[in-house]
Amino acid sequence: IGKSYGGSYFDGLIDHLYIVRNSPLNGEIAAHIAESPVLNLHLDEDLTTTSFVDDTPLANNATCSPSTGSGAGCPQAGTKGQMREAVVFVGNGERLTVADDPAYNLDEFTLGLWIKPQNRRAKTQPIIGKWDETTGGNRNYALFLDADNRVRLSIQTSDCTTYKATTSAIALLDGQWNHVMATFDDEAMRIYINGSLDANELAFTGRLCRTLLPITIGGGDAFATWDGFDGAMDEITLHGVALNA
């Protein structure tokens, strides 16, 4: 790969190389292209970082504001992650924000990340969502960690009023890295824990709530029924299609 017999070395970048046995149809080619993430945060930045690189063509970096006192601020960067470095939240409402983009208003999606819960909380901890974090409404999609360490995927339908949600049957392991993928394909809401499809899923067909709100990672201090996320996150991805196993 990158050099032909008698030719020159390729000068550029190659990604997501695959070979298929047949000639794909136009729709299949479009589906392969759509599998590329619209948000990809490796979270490998150094300590005291306030901007985290989005490794997609959108280059829509996640940002945070350092705390000027007690309470919400930036998660701690530069700690050991599942893959290179990660960011750590200590439950005081630390958050990352990704500015709104039309590519994030989705009727099908896959949310994925590595997550290490550190301390269980009495209330639900938000992980990532596109919503109004002060009310919990105007929700396109969101992932939560419930008090029993089970993962909840939640959306609102196109009326931005009706909620739909499914909660995993399996709880995440405390103090260990867990991989979570949550999908919606206009047929069902599904959660994958460490590569395995969870037994709980919710059948649902319809369009989702569209908003001009940013994506929030962490947080939780702005809404009475939530606690700030307490743990670490690594390798956050968002796809505009529902991936499958």
Side-chain angles (χ1 to χ4, degrees):
I1 298 170
K3 187 179 187 300
S4 62
Y5 179 75
S8 299
Y9 287 104
F10 171 72
D11 186 357
L13 300 175
I14 298 175
D15 193 12
H16 201 163
L17 174 67
Y18 54 88
I19 299 172
V20 296
R21 293 178 176 273
N22 61 325
S23 177
L25 301 175
N26 288 343
E28 293 173 320
I29 294 173
H32 283 303
I33 293 173
E35 288 177 356
S36 300
V38 294
L39 179 67
N40 189 0
L41 301 173
H42 297 298
L43 304 176
D44 292 336
E45 283 73 10
D46 295 329
L47 190 69
T48 73
T49 297
T50 59
S51 181
F52 297 81
V53 173
D54 169 27
D55 194 16
T56 74
L58 292 175
N60 199 8
N61 296 348
T63 60
C64 61
S65 299
S67 175
T68 56
S70 61
C74 291
Q76 179 183 336
T79 61
K80 181 174 175 55
Q82 175 65 15
M83 298 177 64
R84 300 174 295 275
E85 282 73 49
V87 292
V88 173
F89 303 74
V90 296
N92 289 331
E94 301 86 3
R95 60 173 53 73
L96 298 175
T97 301
V98 182
D100 179 48
D101 188 279
Y104 305 151
N105 270 314
L106 301 171
D107 286 316
E108 296 186 18
F109 62 84
T110 300
L111 275 171
L113 79 161
W114 286 96
I115 181 171
K116 182 198 284 188
Q118 197 61 43
N119 294 297
R120 299 195 183 196
R121 296 295 185 100
K123 301 176 184 178
T124 293
Q125 302 176 52
I127 301 171
I128 180 173
K130 191 173 191 302
W131 54 17
D132 181 344
E133 66 166 336
T134 63
T135 67
N138 291 316
R139 185 179 303 176
N140 192 179
Y141 41 80
L143 272 180
F144 299 92
L145 186 65
D146 283 340
D148 58 3
N149 261 23
R150 296 194 299 161
V151 177
R152 177 156 46 96
L153 171 61
S154 175
I155 58 91
Q156 281 184 308
T157 61
S158 58
D159 61 10
C160 294
T161 300
T162 305
Y163 289 92
K164 300 286 185 179
T166 184
T167 302
S168 65
I170 297 174
L172 301 187
L173 300 174
D174 287 307
Q176 298 186 39
W177 285 108
N178 305 260
H179 191 259
V180 175
M181 295 284 277
T183 72
F184 176 64
D185 61 0
D186 197 30
E187 293 183 358
M189 301 166 64
R190 300 180 176 92
I191 299 173
Y192 296 80
I193 306 291
N194 294 320
S196 296
L197 176 61
D198 191 82
N200 291 349
E201 63 179 66
L202 179 69
F204 165 66
T205 298
R207 298 178 65 85
L208 305 185
C209 176
R210 299 297 187 97
T211 78
L212 299 177
L213 296 166
I215 292 173
T216 301
I217 301 163
D221 60 331
F223 195 49
T225 60
W226 298 343
D227 270 331
F229 175 70
D230 192 339
M233 299 187 200
D234 198 4
E235 298 293 328
I236 296 174
T237 58
L238 171 65
H239 296 75
V241 295
L243 305 180
N244 56 51

